[in-house]
Amino acid sequence: MKKLLSALAVSALLVLGAAASAQADDITVMLDNEAVEFDQQPIITDNRTLVPVRAVFEKAGALVEWDQASLVATITKGNYTIRISPDSDVMYKNGRSIALDVPAQIINNRILIPVRAISEAMDFKVTWNGYLTTVLISTDSVPYRAFAGVKRGFRDMRDIADLYIETDGKGFSDLDGDGSLETIEFKKMTENEGQDGVLVINGTDYTSALSHMASAGSVAAININNASTDRQLVVVENGDVNTAHFFTFDGSALTECEYSKPVSFSTRLLFDEKKYILSDLHGFLFTDIMVTGSYYEFNDNDFGYYRTGASVREIAPRTLTNVYDDGMLYRMIVTDKYDEGAYKNAATYEKVYSQTFETFNLLNIYVDDNDPSYFEFYIEMEDGTKAVIMPYTA
C-alpha cells in the first residue's frame, strides 16, 4: 500500500493521449482555470492529443513567432526559448533536444504539438481529465485537479490566499477592494471568553465578530470570485473537523456570509479560484476525475450548497494509479463480501489518507440517491485485499 485515488491508467502524469474514440471537437483546454479559445481545434493522432502552439502559449504570456523561410516556430518567455518545426519529432528547449511522442503538424496554417510537450517546454504541469476530455494546464508548476461537475481545477486554500496566518502574526490584503491594503493582525483563540485582539483590522478589534466560535486557528484572505476585487476573510474554527467561517469587510464592518450549512473539512479546503469550494469531507478525487458528492458555490457574498455525483457509477470497473498526492482523508473497511450501501454508519473503520495506496482496482461504486454526498468505492488493493472506502466524517 502506498498511495490512493487518482488516474485513468493512461500512464503517469503526462502521457496525455485521449481515447481513440474521443472526438477532437469535444476536447477542452483550460490554462490557469481559463478556457483557451482556438481557431483550429485540437486533434487526436496516434492516441495523442495535439493542440495549437500559438493559442496556448500566447495565453500563457509567451511570444510566439513563425519563420516562414526556415519553417520554425519560436516561443519565448522569461528564460525559456523553444523551437519547433512541423513534421519533426523533436523540439528544442534552450538548445537541448526533447523527443516528441508524435511529430508536430501544420493544420490550417497552425502548428500543433502533443500536450505533453507543453509541460516539457516551460515546466508547466498538465493534467488529463479523461472522463471529460479536458486538458488542465497550470503555469506555476502546481497541478490542477479535474472536477466532474464544472470542468475546473481546484487549489488548496493555503496556495491561493493573499494572506494566510496559522500562528500569531500580521499580514496585508485589500479586503474591501478599494486599492489599499488592510493590515490584519491575528492570534490564535482557544477559548473565546475574555479574549480580545484575536482579529484586528486597521487597528480596530473585530474579535466580537467571532464570538460564536469556540476557537480560531487560522485566518486567510481569498478572492473567491475573480469578477470582483474584494476578498473574503476566512477564519477557521478548529476541532476534530475544522469549520471555515467566511466574512466580508466593507472598510468598517466585518460581516459573516450566510451559507446553507457549515463548510467543514478535516485536512484541506479546496477552491477553484472562481467561486466553487470543495471540502475533503465532501468528495472523492482522481487525477483525471474529481468525483464529488457536494460542493459550495459562492455568489454575491452568499453560499449555495449543491450535490452531484450520481453519474460516477459509470466509471467502474477500472484500474486507478496515483499520480498526485492530494492528502485527502477517507474511512476504510476491509471486507471480502461487499454489501452496497451498508457501511455509512459503521462504527469500526480505519482512517486512511490518499498517500496510503499507489494502485488499486475499482470494482464497484455505490452512491446514495437520497444523499449523493455519500459514496462507497469497493476496491481491490495490490496485495489482493478488498475494502470499502468512504468519505471521512468525525
Side-chain angles (χ1 to χ4, degrees):
M1 297 185 199
K2 293 181 182 177
K3 295 185 178 179
L4 178 64
L5 297 181
S6 54
L8 254 172
V10 180
S11 76
L13 182 61
L14 295 172
V15 180
L16 298 164
S21 61
Q23 299 298 313
D25 288 346
D26 295 333
I27 296 171
T28 301
V29 178
M30 304 288 290
L31 189 142
D32 292 341
N33 270 336
E34 297 291 339
V36 180
E37 300 294 333
F38 297 106
D39 53 12
Q40 163 60 48
Q41 283 300 115
I43 66 168
I44 298 173
T45 299
D46 295 333
N47 284 337
R48 293 293 182 267
T49 301
L50 282 71
V51 298
V53 164
R54 185 177 296 277
V56 170
F57 283 104
E58 286 188 342
K59 190 169 184 63
L63 175 65
V64 181
E65 298 177 297
W66 172 253
D67 187 336
Q68 182 63 36
S70 62
L71 299 180
V72 173
T74 301
I75 309 161
T76 54
K77 182 182 181 184
N79 296 323
Y80 296 100
T81 299
I82 312 300
R83 290 185 172 85
I84 303 168
S85 298
D87 300 322
S88 173
D89 59 4
V90 175
M91 74 175 181
Y92 292 89
K93 176 181 178 179
N94 295 339
R96 178 173 61 88
S97 64
I98 297 176
L100 303 179
D101 293 335
V102 294
Q105 297 187 25
I106 287 222
I107 299 177
N108 294 329
N109 294 321
R110 295 289 181 264
I111 187 167
L112 284 73
I113 60 172
V115 168
R116 177 178 178 178
I118 294 173
S119 173
E120 294 180 331
M122 292 187 178
D123 301 316
F124 295 163
K125 293 296 184 182
V126 184
T127 304
W128 170 249
N129 178 349
Y131 194 58
L132 292 175
T133 59
T134 299
V135 178
L136 291 165
I137 303 171
S138 166
T139 62
D140 65 2
S141 299
V142 179
Y144 281 108
R145 305 308 305 275
F147 179 48
V150 293
K151 294 189 180 181
R152 297 279 189 199
F154 277 74
R155 303 280 299 280
D156 190 278
M157 177 171 66
R158 301 171 187 235
D159 296 332
I160 69 166
D162 288 352
L163 161 79
Y164 186 86
I165 304 172
E166 59 179 351
T167 57
D168 297 356
K170 179 189 294 187
F172 306 91
S173 180
D174 183 6
L175 296 179
D176 55 8
D178 67 355
S180 62
L181 297 178
E182 273 67 51
T183 301
I184 299 102
E185 298 173 82
F186 175 78
K187 66 180 182 181
K188 284 194 171 186
M189 177 176 69
T190 55
E191 295 181 359
N192 60 9
E193 281 192 40
Q195 289 202 34
D196 55 17
V198 173
L199 182 62
V200 178
I201 304 174
N202 292 339
T204 300
D205 192 341
Y206 288 93
T207 304
S208 60
L210 315 181
S211 60
H212 60 299
M213 297 169 55
S215 65
S218 64
V219 64
I222 297 176
N223 185 351
I224 300 176
N225 186 350
N226 282 345
S228 64
T229 57
D230 55 322
R231 269 70 175 155
Q232 282 68 46
L233 199 67
V234 185
V235 181
V236 175
E237 183 175 3
N238 296 118
D240 185 30
V241 174
N242 301 311
T243 301
H245 297 261
F246 292 77
F247 298 84
T248 57
F249 182 71
D250 65 3
S252 60
L254 185 68
T255 305
E256 185 165 8
C257 305
E258 296 296 329
Y259 46 84
S260 58
K261 62 187 301 186
V263 183
S264 299
F265 64 101
S266 177
T267 59
R268 289 165 64 102
L269 193 62
L270 306 174
F271 296 77
D272 81 334
E273 301 184 58
K274 295 292 183 182
K275 57 184 177 180
Y276 296 97
I277 302 169
L278 178 69
S279 157
D280 63 359
L281 301 183
H282 290 269
F284 283 105
L285 305 185
F286 294 81
T287 294
D288 68 328
I289 306 168
M290 178 178 286
V291 181
T292 177
S294 56
Y295 63 94
Y296 302 89
E297 182 176 347
F298 187 84
N299 280 306
D300 299 325
N301 294 332
D302 201 355
F303 279 101
Y305 177 67
Y306 302 90
R307 291 174 175 171
T308 184
S311 63
V312 302
R313 283 178 280 220
E314 301 170 4
I315 72 173
R318 70 198 293 176
T319 299
L320 299 169
T321 302
N322 185 20
V323 295
Y324 186 93
D325 184 6
D326 51 39
M328 300 296 270
L329 182 62
Y330 302 91
R331 291 183 293 155
M332 182 175 76
I333 299 173
V334 175
T335 177
D336 286 327
K337 296 181 180 179
Y338 174 57
D339 181 12
E340 69 174 33
Y343 306 90
K344 186 173 186 178
N345 298 315
T348 303
Y349 55 85
E350 180 182 355
K351 285 198 298 186
V352 296
Y353 287 88
S354 57
Q355 59 266 36
T356 306
F357 305 89
E358 184 173 272
T359 299
F360 63 86
N361 292 321
L362 176 59
L363 304 176
N364 199 356
I365 295 176
Y366 168 78
V367 183
D368 188 336
D369 289 331
N370 296 317
D371 179 13
S373 65
Y374 177 72
F375 291 84
E376 293 173 358
F377 281 26
Y378 188 46
I379 67 171
E380 181 180 15
M381 293 174 275
E382 292 178 280
D383 63 359
T385 301
K386 295 179 181 179
V388 180
I389 53 176
M390 301 155 284
Y392 174 77
T393 53

